[in-house]
Amino acid sequence: AQKVTQAQTEISVVEKEDVTLDCVYETRDTTYYLFWYKQPPSGELVFLIRRNSFDEQNEISGRYSWNFQKSTSSFNFTITASQVVDSAVYFCALSEAEETASKLTFGTGTRLQVTL
Amino acid sequence: GAVVSQHPSRVICKSGTSVKIECRSLDFQATTMFWYRQFPKQSLMLMATSNEGSKATYEQGVEKDKFLINHASLTLSTLTVTSAHPEDSSFYICSATAGAGGHNEQFFGPGTRLTVL
């Protein structure tokens, strides 16, 4: 069975600091997909990224970057120059490709608080 | 991206009543819809998977007779919490996907906050 671990429950940083959110996953499948979602206080999930298991290239999107390391089963997320609007709960999730129903397994989330 | 709506966004009801939550895919046909429950400060837990025209598949520990799911069309799934009790108070989120397979992105609704008094 798959499992996603986000060991950091809460992180607090001062604006403009860089912050990395950790995600470690477990799966027996060779083909799988990894996701990051942002959940602001309003509750709605905001999709940030999807990465398949065959693509280990790191990705950068503006202030966001992701580091996928298959060797350590990690998919970490870094926010550069954090802003107050980045304050939210961030979830890492896993979907196994063999699942016909695309079921997502979520980590427990990391609450990020960015202060002035 | 595709849009998924939920109605109502917030509901307060008395213990013992039933509550229906609708999940609609507005601009695509959703072959599969998922229902999640999220307790305060916790993660999303999958409750059930529903495919249009067939019975929903419930996760272990989720009572199918209490959480009735109907996926009557390719754009609508409903979750009915029957005889709701205070412990059912939670944030219910649906998602929809247009195809089978783990590579298909799930599009999430804005959630419904249920409070049972």
Side-chain angles (χ1 to χ4, degrees):
Chain A
Q2 65 247 48
K3 184 179 177 182
V4 177
T5 302
Q6 293 179 256
Q8 304 148 308
T9 307
E10 290 192 38
I11 300 176
S12 186
V13 298
V14 176
E15 202 175 40
K16 295 182 185 173
E17 282 185 12
D18 298 347
V19 59
T20 295
L21 310 181
D22 298 333
C23 173
V24 174
Y25 62 92
E26 293 176 32
T27 176
R28 277 182 263 185
D29 273 17
T30 54
T31 304
Y32 50 89
Y33 297 85
L34 295 162
F35 303 78
W36 274 96
Y37 290 90
K38 173 183 180 180
Q39 188 178 41
S42 61
E44 186 164 356
L45 280 176
V46 178
F47 169 81
L48 296 178
I49 190 171
R50 177 182 63 196
R51 175 53 49 89
N52 77 55
S53 53
F54 296 110
D55 183 2
E56 285 195 71
Q57 280 192 339
N58 291 332
E59 180 151 343
I60 299 174
S61 176
R63 295 184 298 108
Y64 296 168
S65 62
W66 291 269
N67 186 323
F68 178 27
Q69 297 277 351
K70 223 169 169 178
S71 59
T72 55
S73 297
S74 65
F75 187 43
N76 297 337
F77 172 34
T78 298
I79 301 175
T80 304
S82 59
Q83 299 177 0
V84 172
V85 292
D86 295 328
S87 298
V89 180
Y90 291 85
F91 291 99
C92 181
L94 168 72
S95 174
E96 291 175 338
E98 300 310 313
E99 284 277 358
T100 57
S102 327
K103 289 165 60 170
L104 277 173
T105 298
F106 284 86
T108 49
T110 297
R111 183 175 301 273
L112 174 65
Q113 184 73 41
V114 182
T115 56
L116 292 172
Chain B
V3 179
V4 175
S5 71
Q6 273 184 250
H7 179 80
S9 58
R10 187 180 292 266
V11 57
I12 301 172
C13 69
K14 291 182 179 179
S15 186
T17 60
S18 293
V19 175
K20 181 186 282 189
I21 303 170
E22 291 186 350
C23 177
R24 292 182 185 273
S25 56
L26 299 184
D27 50 4
F28 69 101
Q29 292 190 324
T31 54
T32 305
M33 287 184 168
F34 302 87
W35 287 96
Y36 296 85
R37 179 167 54 181
Q38 184 181 29
F39 291 110
K41 296 194 175 183
Q42 292 190 27
S43 187
L44 283 77
M45 299 301 295
L46 180 65
M47 298 175 67
T49 303
S50 76
N51 293 293
E52 184 264 337
S54 60
K55 288 185 178 180
T57 303
Y58 290 80
E59 294 299 300
Q60 196 170 13
V62 177
E63 300 173 58
K64 60 180 68 175
D65 293 333
K66 181 168 184 65
F67 298 100
L68 301 178
I69 292 172
N70 187 312
H71 193 159
S73 76
L74 284 171
T75 59
L76 173 65
S77 175
T78 60
L79 167 68
T80 301
V81 183
T82 61
S83 187
H85 291 287
E87 58 265 30
D88 298 322
S89 298
S90 187
F91 192 53
Y92 292 86
I93 306 173
C94 74
S95 71
T97 181
H103 60 287
N104 286 288
E105 184 180 341
Q106 287 186 31
F107 301 98
F108 286 85
T112 296
R113 193 164 300 282
L114 170 64
T115 303
V116 185
L117 303 175

